[in-house]
Amino acid sequence: MTDVPHPGEFIAEELEARGWLQRDLAYILGVPEQGINMIISGKRGISPEMAKALGEAFDVSPIFFSNLQNAYEMSRASAPDPSIAKRALFQSAYPVREMIKRGWLEDTPVPLLEAQLMRFFRKNDVRDIPGLAHAAKKKSYDEPANMAQLAWLFRVKQICSEMVLAPYSERRLREAVGELLPRHMMDPEEVRHVPRILAECGVRFAIVETLPKALIDGVCFWLDDNSPVIGMSTRFDRIDNFWFVLRHEIEHVLNGDGKGIPDEEIEVDIDLKLENDGLPPCELKANAEAADFCVPKVQLDSFIMRKAPYISEKDIVGFARRIGRHPGIVTGQVQRRLDRPEYLARLKVKVRHHIAPYAVVDGWGEPAPVAL
């Protein structure tokens, strides 16, 4: 602790230099002499009001006395808990508080929290956790949500790593896309079959709620060459979005996209749209296949040519029945084509509650049953 004198010592020296007594200063300030004695003896600090009064009495800036008091108090303050800096570093890199809230981590002292983060990100040294070194150096706080996306990705990986499935079969997955999955696209309740169908193809599947400010829709990555993973957030809990994102990620699996890529370089699909500007070829292909899967392009083109611009709900329902799709799925594709996001939005029903009992789901108040 630095030996910083109490401000009262300076006041005592100033009184002696001016030939004043404590009672003289009390008279000048219009306060009881006991109050001056308490300050000079170090039993009382200098309040902001007293700093202003002393400034007038001694003809100096009141800030001088405030600084004396602040320096004295800081010198006597206890050293902060060293874990504060560590927690600040972790929170700067990842939404640790939210991860604790979601049950991904436990709220423990920092040494145990470090161990949890290393286990979560599969690293043997906390300094190897992606993003921590950058978080320690960054000066601004406009960092994009990519670290939240990475945390979400690792949660999907943590969940899916505990699944035991047969090796991946591209043939069975293509058959599922061509025959099995389309059978379940007319009734919202039929989404419950998706986890089973994917598991039979050797594809691990999990639904993990996205983190705040991370506009995650889904992801495809590989645990190894025979173990693809599809993670979805169902951020938009709508039947059209569910099937579009699912088929988008399935296309990545079928193309082998992401094989052998380090975890830090895996691209999480964010705010999936059909716009082509700036998208890499693999994303363009996945978008095109997803759109055609939801509503075959040839049939959609013909429908819009015949019915637009006056397309009624009856038209949508009849067309959906003919092609074996739920009206909400057709509505989603018509909205995209006509650029009318509000059009017949009531047809786009929710599906998460239908699939949740049959899939591994993490979020919305309930963490997935996996080891921390």
Side-chain angles (χ1 to χ4, degrees):
M1 183 185 300
T2 305
D3 187 17
V4 176
H6 189 277
E9 293 186 24
F10 171 84
I11 295 174
E13 292 174 358
E14 191 64 21
L15 290 178
E16 183 177 353
R18 293 171 182 256
W20 291 355
L21 300 174
Q22 291 184 23
R23 67 187 59 175
D24 296 327
L25 180 59
Y27 164 73
I28 293 170
L29 299 178
V31 298
E33 182 180 348
Q34 182 183 11
I36 300 300
N37 179 265
M38 294 284 284
I39 293 175
I40 291 176
S41 63
K43 297 179 181 178
R44 178 182 296 174
I46 297 176
S47 67
E49 292 77 11
M50 180 59 72
K52 288 185 175 182
L54 291 170
E56 288 292 319
F58 292 127
D59 193 25
V60 298
S61 170
I63 299 298
F64 174 76
F65 291 100
S66 293
N67 288 342
L68 287 176
Q69 183 65 39
N70 288 338
Y72 174 74
E73 291 178 357
M74 288 295 291
S75 71
R76 298 182 65 82
S78 301
D81 185 341
S83 65
I84 292 175
K86 280 289 185 69
R87 285 198 295 268
L89 173 61
F90 296 156
Q91 186 64 37
S92 296
Y94 294 98
V96 171
R97 186 182 59 81
E98 182 69 19
M99 293 167 73
I100 291 172
K101 177 182 175 183
R102 296 273 293 271
W104 300 5
L105 304 170
E106 291 183 353
D107 192 4
T108 61
V110 164
L112 290 178
L113 182 59
E114 280 189 356
Q116 288 188 74
L117 285 169
M118 286 187 288
R119 190 183 316 126
F120 186 88
F121 289 103
R122 298 169 178 259
K123 300 296 181 183
N124 294 323
D125 190 321
V126 71
R127 293 169 295 184
D128 294 332
I129 296 176
L132 278 188
H134 175 69
K137 297 175 182 177
K138 73 179 182 181
K139 301 299 182 183
S140 65
Y141 293 90
D142 57 356
E143 188 71 12
N146 61 333
M147 292 297 101
Q149 295 159 15
L150 190 59
W152 182 88
L153 165 68
F154 269 88
R155 181 57 173 177
V156 174
K157 187 170 188 176
Q158 183 183 49
I159 292 169
C160 292
S161 294
E162 296 193 3
M163 297 179 182
V164 180
L165 300 182
Y168 165 62
S169 169
E170 179 181 342
R171 177 186 60 81
R172 298 193 70 172
L173 185 58
R174 290 192 182 278
E175 291 174 353
V177 169
E179 299 177 18
L180 294 178
L181 290 174
R183 298 176 189 170
H184 304 293
M185 296 178 70
M186 289 191 68
D187 188 334
E189 295 182 6
E190 293 293 285
V191 297
R192 69 183 188 274
H193 297 289
V194 168
R196 173 185 56 80
I197 292 172
L198 292 178
E200 290 171 352
C201 299
V203 178
R204 290 160 170 79
F205 175 75
I207 296 175
V208 177
E209 182 184 5
T210 188
L211 290 164
K213 300 181 181 180
L215 307 179
I216 300 167
D217 284 319
V219 71
C220 161
F221 62 90
W222 299 72
L223 300 178
D224 55 53
D225 287 347
N226 290 310
S227 304
V229 171
I230 289 178
M232 290 176 58
S233 71
T234 61
R235 181 169 64 96
F236 297 116
D237 184 11
R238 304 189 308 251
I239 191 169
D240 62 313
N241 184 262
F242 174 84
W243 284 108
F244 183 87
V245 174
L246 176 67
R247 181 62 181 88
H248 180 103
E249 304 305 340
I250 287 176
E251 186 62 23
H252 283 315
V253 175
L254 291 172
N255 295 333
D257 296 335
K259 275 190 179 181
I261 294 179
D263 294 326
E264 302 91 301
E265 298 178 19
I266 294 173
E267 293 289 337
V268 174
D269 285 314
I270 304 165
D271 202 16
L272 281 177
K273 292 183 175 68
L274 277 174
E275 287 75 7
N276 295 334
D277 293 345
L279 291 179
C282 64
E283 295 298 331
L284 295 177
K285 189 173 189 304
N287 274 346
E289 293 293 341
D292 193 68
F293 178 76
C294 288
V295 181
K297 183 177 184 302
V298 172
Q299 298 187 54
L300 181 62
D301 289 344
S302 174
F303 174 72
I304 290 178
M305 184 179 300
R306 289 183 289 107
K307 299 293 184 178
Y310 306 108
I311 303 176
S312 68
E313 181 173 339
K314 182 179 179 181
D315 292 332
I316 291 285
V317 172
F319 177 55
R321 186 181 300 112
R322 286 196 302 275
I323 66 171
R325 299 291 188 269
H326 185 274
I329 301 175
V330 174
T331 299
Q333 292 305 305
V334 172
Q335 286 177 338
R336 289 172 182 267
R337 183 67 65 85
L338 301 182
D339 194 23
R340 292 177 57 188
E342 78 292 344
Y343 171 71
L344 292 178
R346 63 182 177 275
L347 295 178
K348 298 161 69 171
V349 298
K350 298 180 182 296
V351 295
R352 187 192 304 130
H353 64 288
H354 291 307
I355 194 173
Y358 303 91
V360 179
V361 178
D362 183 281
W364 301 280
E366 292 293 334
V370 297
L372 295 175

